[in-house]
Amino acid sequence: MIGWTGRRKSFTILAFILPTLLAITIFSVYPFVFNAFISLTNRSKFRPNPDCSQTIWRIVEPTCWLSTEQRGMAEPFSFNDPIYKNYSDLLGGLFTKESVLALLTIGAIVAPLIVAGVVNGRLGKRLWRPVPGWAVWLAGLIVAVVLAWLLGLGDAYNTLLESGDFIMVNIRTVMYVIVCIPLFFILGLTMALILNNDYIRGRTFFRVVLIVPWAASTVAIMMSLIWQFFFRGNGTINQILANFGIQGPTYLNEDWWSFAIVVLVNLWYTYPFFMVIILGGLQSITPDLYEAADVDGASWWQQLTNITLPLLRPAILPAIVLSTLTTYKVDAVVWGITKGGPVKGAGLPGFTEFVMVHAYKQIFQTQAFGRMGAFAVILFVGLFAATLYSLRITRLTEGAYE
Amino acid sequence: MNHPPKLGTKIAMYVILIAATLFALYPIWFAVLAAGRPGDRLYTFNLAGMFLPVQWTWDNLRALLTETSFLTWIRNSLMVASLTAITALFIGTSAAFAFSRFKFYGRRGGLTLFLAIQAFPGILSLVAIAQILAAIGLYANHLGLIMAYLAGTLVFVTWNLKGYFDTIPVDLEEAAQIDGCGPIDSFVRIALPLARPALAVTALFGFMAGWGEFFLANILIPAPDAKKTAMVGLFQMANEVNIPWGRFASGAVLILIPVVLIFLWLQRYLESGLTVGGVKG
């Protein structure tokens, strides 16, 4: 490490990082602080302007910086009473008796799966397992399904959906993530295993061709429009079906069709990323291990589950965490295809209106600025906590801090 | 698990590979077909026309280039994306070097702050950004858009380059230091020349992020038509009442091809950048 000290050192370091720090403060930190203030007010389409005579807004609000004159005819916005009103509007539905009960129900239904995972982890450390891994998972799954039937998963789900837009949107987004990530992983793994086979010809060609969708994801909004044309009422798919005398549905008007399409298109964009990561991981596994396993007479499946997957873990885990976060924040893919629809009834979030799409619509169509400020603050806390936690479990920055 | 596969397995593998290739390429091929289809139609009743260019016309492309502002949009996008990338690189490189080489108070906090910013989607602070830009008179202005992009790109650039500087051994700089080379000299004369390829790759990624961005551009430059970026312009074209499909598809293909080529060229760096820099946009 470079060893000079004193005032000169401080000045030099400051000179190195000041421009970056300044830009980030103005365009990332300040907007966030500003947002946090707005989240405490009733600012909306009807009360868009600040009261510049108040000191706090003279400092925080950019439109007050140049002149304190009152703008517009509408009454200026003011702090809410109680001050956390936007937050309680968004999250309040979670704390009613019914919602807490519903949450507990869902927790009870998921619990057997978590127990199965823990039990399996314990068993994996033993030399000899009394029960195979799949049996533990199956038992957990059966208990979960029975519980879901007994406790009424559907009712709990509906109760939560009715407890507010924010919660509804979040539940659907989480559902979307839960559906997407395993698909990314399975397809990515399958393709990587095939591409890693020395006896397949043209692997370089296929490898390049298969990552083209990943490349297209840099212009996701436009590529999604092209995908949308496939599923229009008289789009490509239905045209092809019509040639065989079949009348296809209007996919984008139906809830689960839209959901499936958004999953499919995101799969198209994202699985190549998994494929490349897994392929890299596969190439770092020494062939000796497989030779030894062959000598012991291990089947292909045993080699996959006992050698390949455990050794891929360090490569895959960061990828899964990273894409869990990006899938939660999905925007352009959905906006290009469904725009959050299909919407059933004015003011209700559409079926594919995931978190970011909801935020975009609320800010620029409903213009409920105060409420969306609270939305942003809550999301920030959640996402930041998730990022820190994911860093801990993946050790992505192990060494990066040093 | 590299045994010669059985014949059946091998055939199955090729079938999956070919199916995956069709899945990967058909949407793009479809856009190419739509770009060359006469009559500005998205589809054709001719089944073969869904897969092969049975009819081909350049009219759509010509109309796109002459009757719409497409070329202006492209110019705007090029300008915004490249200026963002260059500015971010210009500002961020020295910070990356400082974070990689110096120990100072607040360093860990700074890196965590970067992660927090990276985790937080820019859309959510758009209202505030729009108001700042309005207050300093840069709303509906390319300069304002560049400033709005800058924060996100800077974080990416700094993390990425910090990761790269971490991989350059510090020995060279220590040797130079003994010869009387200060920190600024060791940055400018030693680290920067060594990091040249990483700088280029980082700049290209920054460029592509700006090139494909839609939401900020859509809000921060609402009008006039001649100021819009390519993504916003094309998106609006695809949401008109009578959608000019052929023109839209031509534009999409023109935007897509360079992006795909650059990306394919960059992807070998992406894999290592992912493990080194640790943050994907």
Side-chain angles (χ1 to χ4, degrees):
Chain A
M1 197 52 64
I2 293 167
W4 27 274
T5 48
R7 191 184 286 165
R8 196 168 142 243
K9 174 183 163 177
S10 317
F11 275 127
T12 318
I13 290 177
L14 207 59
F16 270 90
I17 60 174
L18 196 63
T20 303
L21 226 47
L22 211 63
I24 283 176
T25 309
I26 296 173
F27 286 102
S28 289
V29 179
Y30 166 71
F32 181 75
V33 173
F34 182 57
N35 236 338
F37 273 107
I38 296 296
S39 77
L40 302 174
T41 69
N42 58 1
R43 188 175 208 171
S44 71
K45 174 159 57 174
F46 307 110
R47 292 161 170 262
N49 295 314
D51 181 2
C52 289
S53 56
Q54 287 180 358
T55 327
I56 173 78
W57 300 119
R58 284 220 56 184
I59 299 169
V60 182
E61 170 71 48
T63 46
C64 290
W65 290 345
L66 294 180
S67 87
T68 56
E69 233 169 81
Q70 181 59 46
R71 250 165 290 259
M73 303 305 268
E75 216 180 311
F77 62 82
S78 57
F79 281 112
N80 272 327
D81 179 40
I83 204 149
Y84 53 83
K85 184 170 179 296
N86 288 321
Y87 293 89
S88 64
D89 279 356
L90 288 176
L91 290 177
L94 262 187
F95 298 107
T96 60
K97 204 172 116 200
E98 292 82 18
S99 310
V100 172
L101 215 59
L103 277 178
L104 286 178
T105 311
I106 290 177
I109 293 167
V110 179
L113 292 176
I114 298 172
V115 171
V118 172
V119 168
N120 244 339
R122 289 275 167 80
L123 290 182
K125 284 179 190 150
R126 295 199 193 167
L127 273 178
W128 178 81
R129 336 169 116 237
V131 252
W134 60 265
V136 179
W137 280 114
L138 192 67
L141 195 67
I142 289 173
V143 176
V145 170
V146 170
L147 277 179
W149 181 64
L150 284 179
L151 298 176
L153 177 65
D155 289 346
Y157 172 73
N158 285 330
T159 311
L160 281 183
L161 281 194
E162 281 159 18
S163 58
D165 286 359
F166 180 77
I167 297 155
M168 182 196 268
V169 164
N170 261 293
I171 288 178
R172 288 195 179 131
T173 314
V174 169
M175 243 163 56
Y176 180 68
V177 173
I178 291 175
V179 172
C180 276
I181 301 293
L183 287 177
F184 295 164
F185 174 69
I186 292 169
L187 194 55
L189 180 69
T190 313
M191 298 320 294
L193 285 174
I194 293 177
L195 287 181
N196 195 41
N197 193 306
D198 294 334
Y199 298 89
I200 294 288
R201 283 176 191 217
R203 286 185 297 160
T204 324
F205 167 76
F206 283 119
R207 191 176 181 280
V208 170
V209 166
L210 291 185
I211 63 168
V212 165
W214 188 9
S217 75
T218 36
V219 286
I221 189 84
M222 212 185 52
M223 206 54 223
S224 300
L225 285 171
I226 293 171
W227 269 102
Q228 188 215 40
F229 304 155
F230 286 27
F231 297 104
R232 285 177 165 246
N234 47 10
T236 317
I237 305 269
N238 280 350
Q239 286 300 318
I240 292 176
L241 287 179
N243 273 291
F244 300 101
I246 305 168
Q247 172 69 44
T250 315
Y251 303 96
L252 296 177
N253 282 349
E254 298 187 18
D255 287 354
W256 288 104
W257 268 118
S258 310
F259 191 85
I261 288 164
V262 181
V263 170
L264 176 81
V265 177
N266 208 357
L267 178 69
W268 188 77
Y269 284 123
T270 316
Y271 96 82
F273 166 68
F274 275 75
M275 185 185 81
V276 168
I277 296 287
I278 295 174
L279 203 55
L282 284 177
Q283 278 155 2
S284 67
I285 302 177
T286 51
D288 310 0
L289 292 172
Y290 295 110
E291 282 166 26
D294 275 338
V295 174
D296 291 342
S299 69
W300 177 85
W301 182 255
Q302 283 174 325
Q303 295 188 14
L304 179 71
T305 51
N306 291 320
I307 302 176
T308 314
L309 289 182
L311 286 177
L312 281 180
R313 207 180 131 93
I316 295 176
L317 209 56
I320 287 183
V321 168
L322 218 58
S323 56
T324 302
L325 288 175
T326 40
T327 309
Y328 181 79
K329 293 187 279 184
V330 64
D331 48 17
V333 178
V334 178
W335 192 251
I337 296 172
T338 65
K339 285 202 173 162
V343 181
K344 301 273 162 69
L348 279 176
F351 198 76
T352 57
E353 193 167 321
F354 302 132
V355 172
M356 280 302 114
V357 178
H358 182 67
Y360 189 72
K361 278 177 100 165
Q362 286 287 309
I363 296 174
F364 299 105
Q365 290 176 5
T366 318
Q367 300 186 328
F369 301 123
R371 183 123 52 87
M372 293 328 287
F375 190 101
V377 171
I378 296 171
L379 273 196
F380 174 78
V381 171
L383 286 172
F384 188 46
T387 310
L388 286 185
Y389 179 68
S390 69
L391 282 178
R392 267 189 55 180
I393 60 168
T394 62
R395 308 236 162 96
L396 203 65
T397 54
E398 196 175 23
Y401 273 130
E402 303 318 316
Chain B
M1 8 185 130
N2 274 328
H3 312 285
K6 292 194 194 103
L7 187 64
T9 322
K10 205 168 174 178
I11 292 175
M13 283 182 176
Y14 277 117
V15 169
I16 295 176
L17 272 180
I18 289 167
T21 308
L22 291 179
F23 179 52
L25 294 186
Y26 181 66
I28 295 167
W29 177 235
F30 173 82
V32 175
L33 288 182
R37 195 169 286 145
D40 228 10
R41 285 202 323 259
L42 182 62
Y43 47 84
T44 155
F45 292 101
N46 175 356
L47 191 58
M50 291 290 194
F51 302 98
L52 298 168
V54 281
Q55 305 156 290
W56 188 265
T57 169
W58 295 104
D59 289 351
N60 294 322
L61 187 63
R62 200 173 299 126
L64 176 80
L65 297 182
T66 54
E67 289 167 28
T68 69
S69 321
F70 183 72
L71 286 177
T72 324
W73 298 336
I74 289 278
R75 205 190 58 206
N76 294 340
S77 275
L78 272 178
M79 193 180 82
V80 169
S82 50
L83 276 179
T84 306
I86 292 169
T87 317
L89 209 64
F90 192 74
I91 299 178
T93 311
S94 65
F97 182 77
F99 274 113
S100 167
R101 287 290 189 265
F102 307 145
K103 287 232 191 302
F104 53 90
Y105 181 75
R107 174 171 173 280
R108 242 190 122 96
L111 287 173
T112 312
L113 173 73
F114 280 19
L115 276 180
I117 294 168
Q118 184 87 21
F120 189 65
I123 301 177
L124 289 180
S125 44
L126 242 171
V127 175
I129 291 179
Q131 293 209 351
I132 303 177
L133 293 181
I136 55 180
L138 288 179
Y139 186 66
N141 187 315
H142 289 146
L143 205 58
L145 187 60
I146 292 171
M147 288 163 100
Y149 284 162
L150 201 58
T153 314
L154 253 181
V155 172
F156 166 75
V157 165
T158 312
W159 259 101
N160 213 38
L161 286 176
K162 176 195 171 293
Y164 187 79
F165 283 132
D166 282 347
T167 66
I168 302 179
V170 76
D171 308 1
L172 271 176
E173 287 151 48
E174 280 172 349
Q177 200 193 340
I178 292 169
D179 293 340
C181 181
I184 294 172
D185 276 336
S186 72
F187 171 59
V188 175
R189 297 197 185 174
I190 300 172
L192 268 191
L194 282 174
R196 217 179 288 149
L199 292 176
V201 170
T202 309
L204 271 175
F205 277 123
F207 173 83
M208 298 225 294
W211 179 252
E213 209 286 330
F214 168 76
F215 293 99
L216 269 75
N218 192 27
I219 297 303
L220 294 182
I221 305 193
D225 210 38
K227 277 197 170 182
K228 283 175 182 157
T229 62
M231 288 299 136
V232 178
L234 276 179
F235 187 86
Q236 271 164 7
M237 198 187 265
N239 282 281
E240 284 167 19
V241 181
N242 290 313
I243 309 169
W245 295 118
R247 291 183 205 178
F248 171 79
S250 311
V253 171
L254 282 186
I255 285 184
L256 207 56
I257 287 173
V259 168
V260 169
L261 292 181
I262 295 178
F263 190 91
L264 291 182
W265 180 66
L266 281 181
Q267 54 99 11
R268 58 206 165 107
Y269 297 105
L270 195 70
E271 215 178 318
S272 60
L274 232 154
T275 49
V276 173
V279 177
K280 183 188 165 239

